[in-house]
Amino acid sequence: VIPDKLEERGIDDDTLVIFTSDNGGAMHHGAHNEPLKGGKGSTFEGGQRVCNVMRWPGKIPAGRSCDALITSMDILPTFAKLAGASPPRDRILDGKDVSHIWLGKPDAESPHEAFYYYFKDRLECVRSGKWKLRVAQVRGGQDAQLPQLFDLETDIGETTDLSAQHPDVVARLTELADEARADLGDGDQP
């Protein structure tokens, strides 16, 4: 319906339509997030990932999909870039310009070195590329030894802890987690 109305008004080619959702399905309301683990309110992938569909005739290639990591924080700097403007410079923005991803550029990759999964004021996980390191679990007690390392390319359901097999990756992501804690805090840490 929306594309038809845009076409009727002659603004279809000038309008970027974005459909996205709130993070994670609420499992206590019957949502099924399989093959992802967890749901709304968790830092498992089932509580973080969302669908995102974009349409902009002549700008975004139709029928394509992409699994590069982007966040809603990227919307402001990307809109600014697409509009030929600059984002505000009087504050720190965590988002990045991801227009190259939105526009389907070949081999477009996420500009994020890391993504930090916070639950309220607590850092629980850090992701870099295909790797996700769980460093804390705030709710429900400790159900496993931490840290836990997951390869999200081969184990989207976060079922197999690879921390013992990849201590170098654990060390690198732990360093990123420490940088996040120094910048953003972590619980009692300002």
Side-chain angles (χ1 to χ4, degrees):
V1 171
I2 292 173
D4 295 338
K5 291 295 180 185
L6 293 171
E7 194 170 336
E8 264 178 39
R9 290 186 164 83
I11 57 172
D12 193 35
D13 292 344
D14 298 322
T15 306
L16 168 59
V17 176
I18 299 175
F19 172 82
T20 192
S21 69
D22 189 16
N23 60 308
M27 295 173 64
H28 63 280
H29 287 296
H32 297 282
N33 299 317
E34 291 89 10
L36 305 175
K37 184 176 186 175
K40 181 170 291 308
S42 81
T43 55
F44 290 110
E45 293 302 290
Q48 297 292 310
R49 290 182 180 232
V50 300
C51 62
N52 181 275
V53 178
M54 297 185 178
R55 181 180 182 276
W56 195 4
K59 302 275 193 306
I60 296 177
R64 286 257 196 90
S65 66
C66 175
D67 61 3
L69 188 142
I70 61 175
T71 83
S72 59
M73 295 179 291
D74 298 327
I75 292 173
L76 172 64
T78 305
F79 278 174
K81 169 74 174 197
L82 293 173
S86 295
R89 294 175 193 227
D90 62 341
R91 68 203 76 183
I92 296 172
L93 296 178
D94 293 319
K96 312 272 187 208
D97 167 26
V98 293
S99 58
H100 61 292
I101 295 171
W102 288 9
L103 299 175
K105 302 294 183 198
D107 301 319
E109 293 184 11
S110 175
H112 296 281
E113 176 187 12
F115 177 76
Y116 303 101
Y117 298 71
Y118 272 80
F119 178 76
K120 298 186 180 180
D121 66 345
R122 298 291 306 195
L123 178 64
E124 287 195 6
C125 305
V126 60
R127 177 177 173 187
S128 182
K130 70 178 189 170
W131 297 107
K132 180 177 181 182
L133 184 69
R134 181 166 289 281
V135 295
Q137 185 167 325
V138 177
R139 300 156 319 283
Q142 300 290 40
D143 64 350
Q145 191 68 21
L146 295 174
Q148 293 176 323
L149 180 69
F150 302 101
D151 177 346
L152 295 179
E153 280 183 4
T154 61
D155 182 20
I156 196 69
E158 300 172 86
T159 61
T160 306
D161 176 13
L162 299 174
S163 58
Q165 294 93 321
H166 298 280
D168 56 325
V169 177
V170 171
R172 183 174 65 82
L173 270 63
T174 298
E175 197 172 300
L176 289 170
D178 290 341
E179 290 174 16
R181 288 180 178 116
D183 182 30
L184 303 171
D186 188 13
D188 296 351
Q189 180 179 335

